[in-house]
């Protein structure tokens, strides 16, 4: 499986752009500011954008990315997302006020972008990869993704707080090779993390410990830039966390 993490920060000012992961040559998982790490030539190869939810750090580069494609695509880029996420994009972004409606440009017959709604637990195939969205517990409708190809199982847990819903969903999946899981705030801000639908080192560890078949590899992501140094220090100095890779 070909996975390239273009951005994995929980905001701006960190050691990378915000969440955007390239799967294979033609798929993006989320479209945060990390998308800007792609060259124009590589952007023109993208055929699908799979979104976890509508928060700005996960969709901020989608409009300007699409604006690069007018002369370079004969088929629309398909944006796969929950109906609730699509509604937000239509009403709040691609509304001719914030940005043009790219489902209508250059023409309704040959647009730059097309939306395709998805539902949790309903798998779909893209470019030889099997995606299966699953519901997580965030402040807006959000899904994580199970992605399978070439005998590898990659799971992106998306933005989420610790909950029985999350644990149940993770335990419904097949054994995980690589789990990409968030840790946005330090434990001293546990109340803020719960209110905003995020994990801390303790709740992240509790989530991982509750998975019946432990993942072979764990990538920690979505560190908020204001707390990145503090969180990295916790992961580097706490023996229980040192086996986990904090993405840059």
């Amino acid at each position: 499986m070909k996975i390239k993490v273009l951005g994995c920060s929980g905001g701006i000012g960190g050691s990378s752009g915000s969440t955007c992961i390239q799967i294979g040559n033609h798929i993006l998982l989320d479209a945060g500011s990390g998308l800007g790490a792609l060259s124009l030539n590589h952007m023109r190869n993208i055929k699908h954008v799979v979104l976890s939810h509508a928060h700005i750090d996960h969709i901020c580069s989608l409009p300007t990315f699409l604006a690069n494609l007018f002369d370079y695509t004969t088929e629309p880029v398909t944006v796969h997302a929950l109906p609730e996420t699509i509604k937000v994009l239509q009403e709040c972004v691609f509304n001719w006020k914030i940005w043009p409606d790219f489902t209508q440009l250059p023409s309704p017959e040959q647009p730059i972008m097309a939306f395709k709604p998805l539902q949790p637990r309903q798998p779909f195939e893209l470019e030889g990869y099997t995606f299966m969205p699953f519901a997580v517990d965030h402040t807006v409708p959000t899904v994580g993704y199970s992605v399978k190809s070439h005998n590898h199982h990659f799971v992106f847990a998306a933005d989420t707080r610790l909950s029985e819903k999350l644990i149940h969903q993770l335990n419904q999946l097949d054994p995980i090779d690589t789990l990409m899981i968030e840790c946005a705030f330090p434990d001293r801000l546990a109340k803020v993390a719960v209110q905003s639908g995020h994990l801390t080192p303790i709740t992240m560890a509790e989530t991982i410990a509750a998975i019946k078949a432990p993942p072979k590899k764990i990538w920690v992501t979505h560190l908020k830039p204001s707390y990145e140094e503090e969180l990295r220090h916790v992961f580097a100095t706490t023996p229980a966390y040192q086996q986990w890779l904090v993405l840059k």
Side-chain angles (χ1 to χ4, degrees), residues 28-104:
L28 295 179
L29 177 49
D30 280 342
S33 61
L35 198 160
L38 283 181
S39 68
L40 282 172
N41 284 336
H42 284 102
M43 287 184 191
R44 292 161 185 161
N45 288 328
I46 300 302
K47 298 178 181 178
H48 302 274
V49 179
V50 182
L51 297 178
S52 61
H53 64 299
H55 279 164
I56 193 70
D57 55 327
H58 294 256
I59 61 97
C60 61
S61 290
L62 180 61
T64 47
F65 153 69
L66 292 167
N68 287 331
L69 304 181
F70 282 103
D71 289 329
Y72 297 94
T73 182
T74 57
E75 296 290 333
V77 173
T78 303
V79 176
H80 306 259
L82 289 169
E84 296 93 335
T85 300
I86 292 173
K87 183 178 181 181
V88 170
L89 291 173
Q90 290 172 324
E91 293 180 353
C92 302
V93 180
F94 298 102
N95 58 7
W96 296 103
K97 296 177 182 178
I98 299 298
W99 207 249
D101 182 357
F102 282 154
T103 66
Q104 301 297 309

Side-chain angles (χ1 to χ4, degrees), residues 103-198:
T103 66
Q104 301 297 309
L105 291 178
S107 71
E109 295 76 26
Q110 291 186 310
I112 289 292
M113 174 181 65
F115 288 119
K116 189 165 186 178
L118 56 80
Q119 293 295 335
R121 310 300 304 185
Q122 293 185 6
F124 55 96
E125 300 282 336
L126 296 176
E127 306 286 330
Y129 294 87
T130 301
F131 285 76
M132 204 279 290
F134 59 92
V136 299
D137 192 3
H138 197 34
T139 57
V140 297
T142 303
V143 288
Y145 287 96
S146 158
V147 187
K148 294 180 180 178
S149 179
H150 300 104
N151 298 315
H152 189 88
H153 186 198
F154 170 68
V155 173
F156 173 66
D159 289 12
T160 185
R161 59 170 69 87
L162 173 61
S163 69
E164 291 299 322
K165 175 196 287 188
L166 174 64
I167 299 304
H168 175 73
Q169 293 295 323
L170 290 172
N171 279 322
Q172 292 296 303
L173 302 176
D174 291 336
I176 301 168
D177 294 302
T178 303
L179 172 64
M180 189 170 180
I181 189 169
E182 71 133 90
C183 185
F185 292 100
D187 293 315
R188 62 185 178 84
L189 292 176
K191 183 177 180 180
V192 174
V194 170
Q195 290 172 330
S196 59
H198 288 292

